[in-house]
Amino acid sequence: MKSYQKLTAAQPAACRVEEEGAAPVPSGHGKLAPWWVGSGLLVAAVLLSTITVWVLRQVSGGWLGPTAPPKCLVVPESHRFDCYPERRVVVTQELCESRGCCFIQSPPLAEGKQGVPWCFYPPDFPSYTLESLNQTALGVVGLLVRREKAYYPRDIGKLRLDVEFETDTRLHIKITDAANPRYEVPLDVPRVMKRAENPIYSLNFSWDPFGVLLQRKATGTVLLNTTVAPLIFADQFLQISTSLPSKFLYGLGEHRGSLLHSLDWNTLTLWARDVSPTESFNLYGAHPFYLLMEEGGNAHGVFLLNSNAMEVALQPAPGLTWRTIGGVLDFYIFLGPDPNMVIQQYQQVIGFPAMPPIWALGFHLCRWGYGSSNGTWQTVRAMRNYQIPQDGQWNDIDYMDGYRDFTLDSQKFASLPSLVEDLHKHGQHYVMILDPGISSTSPHGSYWPFDEGLRRGLFLNTTQGQPLIGQVWPGFTAFADFSNPDTHQWWLENLQHFHAHVPFDGLWIDMNEPSNFMDGSEDGCPPGELDNPPYTPAVLGDSLSAKTVCASAKQKISVHYNLHNLYGLMEAKATASALIRIRGKRPFVISRSTFPSQGRYSGHWLGDNRSQWKDMGYSIPGLLSFSLFGIPLVGADICGFSGSTSEELCTRWMQLGAFYPFSRNHNTQNEKAQDPTAFSPAARTAMKDVLLTRYSLLPFLYTLFHRAHLQGDTVARPLFFEFPRDEATWELDRQFLWGQSLLVTPVLEPGVDSVTGYIPQGTWYDFYTGSSVNSSGEMLKMSAPLEHLNLHIREGSILPTQKPGTTTEATRGNPLRLIVALSSHATAWGDLFWDDGESLDTFEKGNYSYVVFNVTQNIFTSTVLHASTEATKVTVGTLSIFGVQKPPSKVLLNGQEKPFSYLDNQVLNVSDLGVSLSQGFSLQWL
């Protein structure tokens, strides 16, 4: 009898792959006993299960149906892997048993709730057998054979298994058709040249049934065990399940909900969709990657490189099932061992994020419904009048003529070129929206983007070879095919023409799931298994074409069925490339739809949220999830996009939003204004103050983005990344960190003047005053009047800050203030990356300065490790040292005595230093 098994560290594997390169050696006959019962307890378990079923039948009114076979009764509810996942089907015993599966009916749940599957795999359900396994230079290659057909059409009988030990912390496992090529995601991934020498993992295989068993060597923790349910690999249904070592799982975007996913029969669908963020819906992007915390604080990550429609089913075993309807099973596993390292290792595969221009880190303002360029200009002037920081002014689709890309409303937005010129004179920047749907109804010869795109054959086509016509804002539209390199050139030419008239600085690409106001096209979608596959994941609308184009649409490199989830990524790549060609500077692109590697080309905003307290709260797990996905430049629409905000909500949201890595206030049409100048003097002042705080922290934030670009560090960071051994942090998503050292605790509820937040163990300093808080790792209640956002600096860190101006350009010329937060051992460390803020590849070309700050034994040192001329333009003005235990008698700067002040809360301030950033210096207090 074949069985599906979970191995513990003490159990033998059917086949062990030795790291030293020896041939794999089978252990025994490779058949494994059911993992939920010991061999001597099978009869007792069946008897007990039968009694339990009888009792439950009496109290449940007969919900369990006819008595199930003993082999089914031994499977605990939490370990029942779904054999009939189809939605909108009432699963009967007849349907279930036609698939060869177990049927045990459970009481119905509330509408929309999932529960224990009624139809699940028995221990002896047929799967693949590992027929052969051979060593390769990088790992092993195997042949998998299925002798009994599964229940989806075009089952593939022979599969190729490729395993590569790529690095000591990265394993690559790929399963595909042994005989025929299949679609694979066209993503550039690293190619290793030699096998890992000292991997921190051990890999074993079960031969019959085939399974992968991956353990962490140091702890013996089983990270993957795919023998828990059968592998199914049909042409349009690929499924593999695994046990999980804990219930603490994150990632698998894009969804709205808590940062930590529930494993209570929770299915997450990945299929890009235009819908206002709503719990349980598949949203704008697709990120088939999860991070899991293991007992003891280790972490690992798993990435399935697959772009087809997909769902991931989580269950309380704990277990996980990947279900996708195309492509191949191409897994990367990252062993960490801490969560920061997992994310770095993930980005070593998908690519590190681009370095943004510094003005992208300023405050941005937008709304749909300014009405005119003069109306837009009026808001800009009001912001300047109140001296409220602003770097970017945006326009939504109302700047266009008839909502058509690359056009300008010559009546209402005639003065837009003058507005952009004025922004540039004031050190500010202009960003406009673009959609991928190109109007198809203008008279021939009157709208070059469509005419030329049609002539060059650059649009998505129907199965009949004609442009697929859908409907978006301008009416009937064709959709640009960004999988075609020729489309990138056409996109560039369109942008060049428009830039010559309106010299924009950045681009906001929206509606790029792609969104369609029709389902499929004006003619619907043709019959066939691309638009109506044998299995459709749990997508909103129950159809792959719901509010998008037909899956059968033809693109240059494949069908839309395969490329749908890549649409936003491919448009972002074309857009970033065009901006580089046009401006010769770092591109700034914000995209709604995203896929792994998107951070190389764009940031992301969390979509069309609502002006509600709940939406503000959900924005934190949203931005933290995108930190996991390698897209650090992320934020939500501050104060909410749809609906009317309140002054209190908008004030609190501006405080939180000032600490989104990407900070933009955006509003819909026909709602009252919600920019800072629209509110009372008290609210306006609170908003201005928190933006000034953000601008003062720009040197610190910019350095964090450099670290993200260089090595994949996160910018906004969950607390458990820094405190992985503290399990109290694992569920926290109402606070977050900037980098290692700045803790943000926003108010997320109305009508309160305090906030309760978790303060991890150690000493933390109030950002504004320097007063210390000593925590044992506990929840603390903090004062939070409407004008105050709680910020705390972690002991042992040094934050480079700057006197804030009203733009990043104005701020960059001001003196630096270095804030030192001494540890209990009176030490601290920090760094600063500095360049011109906009040129391409400054780090790669060496056109930057990098300075390290250190404190030990009452001596602060600034060491310039790399210098450029930019650093000569800024000075270090002030040093503030928090946690100086006793008043110094004197302070020496490079051996020369300097005046200082010392406060009762143990803060030492030394002002008027006047030292160039390009020069190292030391400061000692005695």
Side-chain angles (χ1 to χ4, degrees):
M1 180 179 84
K2 292 187 175 73
S3 304
Y4 298 95
Q5 177 188 23
K6 174 182 178 182
L7 291 191
T8 63
Q11 289 176 297
C15 171
R16 178 178 302 279
V17 179
E18 297 294 344
E19 291 75 23
E20 289 75 15
V25 181
S27 302
H29 52 60
K31 302 228 177 189
L32 304 168
W35 65 269
W36 47 81
V37 291
S39 57
L41 298 178
L42 180 59
V43 175
V46 171
L47 179 61
L48 181 60
S49 297
T50 305
I51 295 169
T52 303
V53 168
W54 182 86
V55 172
L56 287 174
R57 188 187 311 285
Q58 308 313 306
V59 299
S60 66
W63 271 107
L64 293 171
T67 303
K71 69 179 181 181
C72 299
L73 296 174
V74 299
V75 183
E77 284 191 349
S78 63
H79 297 79
R80 293 178 183 171
F81 286 83
D82 198 347
C83 176
Y84 216 109
E86 281 82 352
R87 301 300 175 97
R88 309 290 185 253
V89 175
V90 176
V91 181
T92 64
Q93 184 168 358
E94 182 180 10
L95 284 173
C96 178
E97 292 178 353
S98 71
R99 292 187 171 183
C101 289
C102 295
F103 183 82
I104 298 180
Q105 201 169 350
S106 303
L109 299 175
E111 186 176 353
K113 289 278 288 181
Q114 297 179 63
V116 182
W118 293 4
C119 184
F120 58 94
Y121 295 106
D124 58 353
F125 192 93
S127 185
Y128 287 86
T129 301
L130 179 57
E131 292 285 314
S132 65
L133 195 64
N134 297 293
Q135 291 285 336
T136 66
L138 299 176
V140 295
V141 61
L143 176 67
L144 310 180
V145 177
R146 175 181 274 281
R147 309 214 181 277
E148 296 183 47
K149 288 281 187 183
Y151 45 84
Y152 285 107
R154 296 183 301 285
D155 211 16
I156 297 172
K158 293 185 177 181
L159 302 176
R160 177 186 169 103
L161 168 71
D162 284 287
V163 178
E164 294 185 353
F165 301 92
E166 294 196 340
T167 73
D168 290 344
T169 57
R170 185 173 86 225
L171 177 66
H172 187 188
I173 301 175
K174 184 174 175 181
I175 302 172
T176 189
D177 188 332
N180 300 297
R182 291 179 61 81
Y183 163 77
E184 297 186 29
V185 181
L187 188 70
D188 291 331
V189 292
R191 300 292 177 198
V192 297
M193 302 307 293
K194 66 174 186 173
R195 179 178 177 142
E197 295 180 356
N198 297 294
I200 65 172
Y201 49 85
S202 62
L203 180 67
N204 307 309
F205 295 106
S206 165
W207 289 75
D208 185 9
F210 165 72
V212 173
L213 303 131
L214 179 68
Q215 288 179 278
R216 184 181 297 281
K217 281 184 179 178
T219 61
T221 303
V222 177
L223 308 183
L224 296 178
N225 172 13
T226 69
T227 67
V228 294
L231 167 65
I232 297 178
F233 201 121
D235 184 37
Q236 289 182 273
F237 186 89
L238 291 71
Q239 178 176 277
I240 190 168
S241 302
T242 182
S243 62
L244 299 171
S246 88
K247 65 178 184 179
F248 294 96
L249 183 142
Y250 315 83
L252 297 175
E254 183 177 2
H255 297 93
R256 180 157 107 153
S258 57
L259 179 64
L260 176 67
H261 287 302
S262 166
L263 269 58
D264 187 19
W265 306 108
N266 180 21
T267 297
L268 302 168
T269 307
L270 282 62
W271 182 248
R273 167 66 192 247
D274 173 6
V275 62
S276 294
T278 305
E279 298 89 317
S280 81
F281 289 177
N282 49 296
L283 301 182
Y284 310 107
H287 293 272
F289 166 83
Y290 70 78
L291 171 80
L292 188 137
M293 292 298 294
E294 306 159 29
E295 184 178 346
N298 286 330
H300 71 274
V302 176
F303 171 43
L304 172 55
L305 179 51
N306 181 293
S307 61
N308 289 89
M310 181 189 307
E311 62 191 16
V312 185
L314 307 175
Q315 63 190 78
L320 175 150
T321 298
W322 298 94
R323 253 177 237 127
T324 183
I325 61 171
V328 301
L329 296 176
D330 193 359
F331 290 101
Y332 288 86
I333 302 99
F334 311 100
L335 274 287
D338 75 52
N340 289 291
M341 294 172 73
V342 171
I343 302 306
Q344 290 175 342
Q345 291 156 13
Y346 176 41
Q347 291 174 91
Q348 286 167 6
V349 170
I350 63 171
F352 295 127
M355 185 69 187
I358 194 164
W359 64 267
L361 306 184
F363 178 63
H364 300 262
L365 199 52
C366 184
R367 77 164 300 169
W368 181 18
Y370 282 121
S372 67
S373 47
N374 287 340
T376 310
W377 210 336
Q378 189 176 343
T379 300
V380 172
R381 287 170 174 148
M383 291 285 286
R384 290 179 192 156
N385 183 52
Y386 289 114
Q387 296 183 300
I388 301 172
Q390 181 188 1
D391 262 79
Q393 180 59 55
W394 299 39
N395 276 127
D396 208 316
I397 57 174
D398 43 347
Y399 79 87
M400 301 177 186
D401 179 9
Y403 299 144
R404 296 179 303 162
D405 277 357
F406 314 113
T407 67
L408 187 65
D409 185 326
S410 60
Q411 301 299 312
K412 296 177 181 176
F413 281 82
S415 62
L416 185 59
S418 300
L419 166 58
V420 174
E421 182 182 6
D422 178 68
L423 289 169
H424 292 164
K425 284 181 179 176
H426 287 84
Q428 296 172 303
H429 297 81
Y430 181 70
V431 181
M432 65 184 198
I433 195 170
L434 279 178
D435 295 337
I438 302 298
S439 174
S440 61
T441 57
S442 299
H444 181 71
S446 66
Y447 184 49
W448 192 85
F450 178 74
D451 293 342
E452 190 64 14
L454 187 65
R455 188 183 72 79
R456 300 187 199 178
L458 304 180
F459 298 122
L460 270 66
N461 283 336
T462 66
T463 55
Q464 304 302 309
Q466 298 300 311
L468 182 146
I469 302 299
Q471 187 175 10
V472 201
W473 295 113
F476 289 114
T477 55
F479 296 87
D481 177 11
F482 290 102
S483 77
N484 186 343
D486 295 340
T487 306
H488 292 217
Q489 177 63 28
W490 162 87
W491 193 245
L492 167 65
E493 291 169 18
N494 279 292
L495 286 167
Q496 285 173 327
H497 296 157
F498 195 80
H499 190 268
H501 186 45
V502 180
F504 54 83
D505 303 290
L507 290 167
W508 169 24
I509 51 176
D510 191 13
M511 307 292 285
N512 55 352
E513 293 73 33
S515 176
N516 185 359
F517 297 164
M518 299 173 159
D519 290 348
S521 76
E522 62 177 343
D523 300 316
C525 296
E529 290 195 328
L530 292 177
D531 293 299
N532 301 283
Y535 180 81
T536 299
V539 297
L540 178 63
D542 299 320
S543 167
L544 297 183
S545 62
K547 297 296 178 279
T548 188
V549 300
C550 298
S552 58
K554 294 181 177 180
Q555 297 189 233
K556 176 72 172 181
I557 64 172
S558 189
V559 288
H560 193 72
Y561 182 91
N562 293 325
L563 302 179
H564 174 83
N565 282 337
L566 300 174
Y567 194 91
L569 169 64
M570 290 178 169
E571 185 192 14
K573 190 173 183 179
T575 305
S577 173
L579 276 170
I580 291 171
R581 290 278 300 276
I582 291 168
R583 299 181 72 246
K585 299 175 182 179
R586 283 178 224 161
F588 174 58
V589 181
I590 295 293
S591 175
R592 192 168 72 179
S593 189
T594 58
F595 189 80
S597 81
Q598 188 100 15
R600 297 169 60 188
Y601 311 106
S602 85
H604 172 65
W605 96 104
L606 295 173
D608 295 340
N609 60 5
R610 304 165 188 86
S611 297
Q612 297 176 3
W613 290 89
K614 179 175 77 169
D615 287 63
M616 176 169 66
Y618 274 133
S619 72
I620 298 176
L623 74 93
L624 295 178
S625 291
F626 274 86
S627 291
L628 270 57
F629 301 148
I631 306 176
L633 189 62
V634 60
D637 283 346
I638 298 170
C639 301
F641 173 69
S642 65
S644 271
T645 192
S646 68
E647 181 162 293
E648 181 190 11
L649 172 61
C650 200
T651 302
R652 293 300 195 190
W653 209 330
M654 283 290 295
Q655 290 168 344
L656 168 59
F659 285 84
Y660 292 156
F662 165 58
S663 182
R664 182 187 70 161
N665 179 316
H666 180 42
N667 191 10
T668 191
Q669 61 180 352
N670 303 321
E671 296 289 354
K672 62 185 180 184
Q674 63 185 35
D675 64 85
T677 70
F679 296 99
S680 71
R684 186 174 66 237
T685 300
M687 295 178 189
K688 174 182 176 179
D689 287 348
V690 78
L691 288 176
L692 288 169
T693 300
R694 177 190 180 88
Y695 275 61
S696 74
L697 283 159
L698 282 171
F700 175 57
L701 181 62
Y702 193 64
T703 301
L704 292 178
F705 269 95
H706 167 67
R707 291 183 159 277
H709 171 62
L710 185 63
Q711 61 192 35
D713 284 6
T714 53
V715 175
R717 190 171 302 180
L719 273 70
F720 75 83
F721 270 48
E722 289 301 314
F723 302 93
R725 312 266 174 224
D726 180 359
E727 290 193 26
T729 66
W730 290 10
E731 297 187 44
L732 297 179
D733 61 8
R734 294 171 71 83
Q735 301 165 268
F736 57 96
L737 293 158
W738 266 11
Q740 297 181 327
S741 48
L742 186 64
L743 177 62
V744 183
T745 307
V747 172
L748 302 173
E749 298 170 346
V752 299
D753 60 5
S754 65
V755 63
T756 300
Y758 187 77
I759 307 296
Q761 184 173 10
T763 301
W764 296 78
Y765 296 92
D766 183 287
F767 171 80
Y768 310 98
T769 67
S771 297
S772 63
V773 177
N774 294 302
S775 174
S776 59
E778 57 199 306
M779 300 295 292
L780 292 180
K781 186 176 181 179
M782 295 169 264
S783 175
L786 188 59
E787 68 278 4
H788 184 70
L789 171 69
N790 277 278
L791 298 173
H792 289 87
I793 307 176
R794 185 180 180 182
E795 64 171 302
S797 55
I798 299 175
L799 267 58
T801 72
Q802 202 162 20
K803 181 182 177 182
T806 55
T807 64
T808 53
E809 183 178 288
T811 301
R812 281 174 59 78
N814 291 337
L816 292 168
R817 177 193 177 209
L818 306 178
I819 302 176
V820 178
L822 292 178
S823 72
S824 55
H825 303 294
T827 60
W829 186 92
D831 62 344
L832 174 63
F833 177 82
W834 194 270
D835 62 10
D836 69 7
E838 62 178 9
S839 293
L840 294 162
D841 303 324
T842 55
F843 177 78
E844 291 77 4
K845 295 175 180 176
N847 298 327
Y848 68 94
S849 295
Y850 182 67
V851 185
V852 169
F853 311 114
N854 192 60
V855 172
T856 184
Q857 297 181 330
N858 293 2
I859 300 174
F860 172 97
T861 55
S862 172
T863 306
V864 180
L865 296 184
H866 194 278
S868 71
T869 56
E870 292 295 327
T872 63
K873 301 174 184 176
V874 66
T875 59
V876 178
T878 303
L879 201 58
S880 296
I881 306 169
F882 298 169
V884 177
Q885 296 293 319
K886 58 183 181 180
S889 58
K890 61 181 175 180
V891 170
L892 304 176
L893 172 64
N894 292 334
Q896 301 295 311
E897 197 163 337
K898 289 287 290 184
F900 64 91
S901 66
Y902 181 82
L903 305 176
D904 292 342
N905 63 347
Q906 301 184 336
V907 173
L908 170 64
N909 280 305
V910 187
S911 304
D912 301 319
L913 295 175
V915 180
S916 171
L917 179 63
S918 62
Q919 298 174 343
F921 69 92
S922 66
L923 186 138
Q924 182 177 17
W925 57 98
L926 304 169

